[in-house]
Amino acid sequence: MRKLNLKPLAEQVLVITGGSSGIGAATGRAAARAGARVVLAGRDAAELDKVAESIRTDGGQVTTVTMDVGIEEDHHRLLQAALEAYGSVDTWVNNAGVSIFGPLQSVPIEDQRKLFETDYWGVVYGSLTAVPYLRERGGALINVGSEVSDRAIPMQGAYSAAKHAVKGFTDALRMELMQENLPVSVTLIKPGSIDTDYTRRARNYMDVEPVLPPPIYSPEAVAQAILYAAHKPQRDLYVGSAAKIMSSLGHRAPGLMDALGGWLTRHQRSDVPATEGGDGLYEPGVRAATPSPSKVRRHSYYTEVNTRGKGMFWLGTGAVLLVGTVLARRRH
């Protein structure tokens, strides 16, 4: 059996899709601060250049590639650009994504298909580009899923479905690579609500601007989980205790989660009337009217516990499962 040894971050080259903002940008900055060489990919060349300039100003090494993750050939071009810039790739992060807010019956099928091209097929294309390279030299494949990979929520049905598909693909790929005894770590990251331009870039079919249900965490908390998985093999990592609780309740008390649909719907609706246009579903863009969250948690203590050793992992997991069990029993 070939041993899986991931390099220290300071010796790595990381490829990160969705690198022009949010989680991708935060991960790129944190990786560069740790000494890694970074390849950031995204559709918006101008925004990529801004992130890259901030990294270079801090002394980091970075190159950018303008691409669309929904186009298979672009991933091969991304790999080639990384090899030309740095000679190798050690970690590949499939992070790009977009959402749609609104009842499923109101969302046109063509929009749902486009979402899947980015959120699901973008992960598939990236994974199937990275793995043939990584299988020969070892490394990490990290796919960014969501808390809704485990439990769907209303008003983001297409996004939930795509993230369910990402989980299924990632789990199956991991098992297949394990059977081949390949030195490739495959990780699924499951963030909760994160303070990015996510709602501003989402297509909206509600009568008000969308917001994310609390608690809301900073993108740096997700970057911490991604970079931990880049040098310490992980099966999956949740970002935020709320994400773990949602998953646990979804499995242990699905009826309770169904009953919380009204709460979840209300907490995705702001009091700001919806504006038209400006989303990022088909082309880069944002809407100006989406309100910012009033409170953002800079750190996820649950995630920190899970990235500090096995003893702390089980302590944190036990605490979350206990909370989930108590809530489920109260319902009955």
Side-chain angles (χ1 to χ4, degrees), residues 310-324:
K310 292 182 178 179
M312 295 297 287
F313 168 81
W314 290 115
L315 177 63
T317 300
V320 169
L321 291 177
L322 177 61
V323 170

Side-chain angles (χ1 to χ4, degrees), residues 118-197:
T118 298
D119 293 12
Y120 174 69
W121 286 107
V123 170
V124 172
Y125 296 149
S127 298
L128 297 184
T129 298
V131 166
Y133 175 80
L134 294 176
R135 68 182 293 144
E136 300 301 327
R137 64 192 312 279
L141 173 68
I142 302 173
N143 293 337
V144 178
S146 168
E147 60 185 350
V148 302
S149 293
D150 293 337
R151 171 67 207 195
I153 62 173
M155 296 296 120
Q156 292 191 75
Y159 181 77
S160 297
K163 291 300 185 178
H164 269 60
V166 166
K167 180 182 184 299
F169 172 83
T170 303
D171 288 346
L173 178 62
R174 181 189 303 108
M175 289 187 288
E176 291 173 3
L177 298 185
M178 288 175 64
Q179 290 177 42
E180 293 186 67
N181 292 326
L182 295 180
V184 181
S185 172
V186 179
T187 302
L188 182 65
I189 304 293
K190 301 177 185 178
S193 296
I194 306 298
D195 181 32
T196 66
D197 283 338

Side-chain angles (χ1 to χ4, degrees), residues 194-260:
I194 306 298
D195 181 32
T196 66
D197 283 338
Y198 174 89
T199 54
R200 298 179 65 204
R201 297 181 188 276
R203 180 149 291 195
N204 183 31
Y205 286 96
M206 301 191 298
D207 59 341
V208 294
E209 285 295 309
V211 292
L212 292 174
I216 297 176
Y217 297 89
S218 72
E220 286 74 21
V222 189
Q224 175 186 351
I226 291 172
L227 295 184
Y228 183 76
H231 71 280
K232 296 287 186 180
Q234 302 292 309
R235 185 183 188 279
D236 53 26
L237 283 172
Y238 293 88
V239 179
S241 57
K244 180 61 178 179
I245 290 171
M246 175 179 284
S247 174
S248 297
L249 288 179
H251 289 295
R252 295 173 176 270
L256 173 60
M257 287 302 299
D258 289 346
L260 289 175

Side-chain angles (χ1 to χ4, degrees), residues 100-116 158 203-206 279 281-282:
I100 302 173
F101 285 83
L104 280 169
Q105 297 177 76
S106 300
V107 179
I109 292 297
E110 58 267 29
D111 285 357
Q112 298 190 45
R113 288 186 184 277
K114 180 59 178 177
L115 181 147
F116 261 76
R203 180 149 291 195
N204 183 31
Y205 286 96
M206 301 191 298
D279 63 70
L281 183 60
Y282 290 90

Side-chain angles (χ1 to χ4, degrees), residues 262-274:
W263 184 92
L264 287 166
T265 296
R266 290 192 299 275
H267 284 80
Q268 293 179 87
R269 294 173 55 85
S270 72
D271 56 4
V272 177

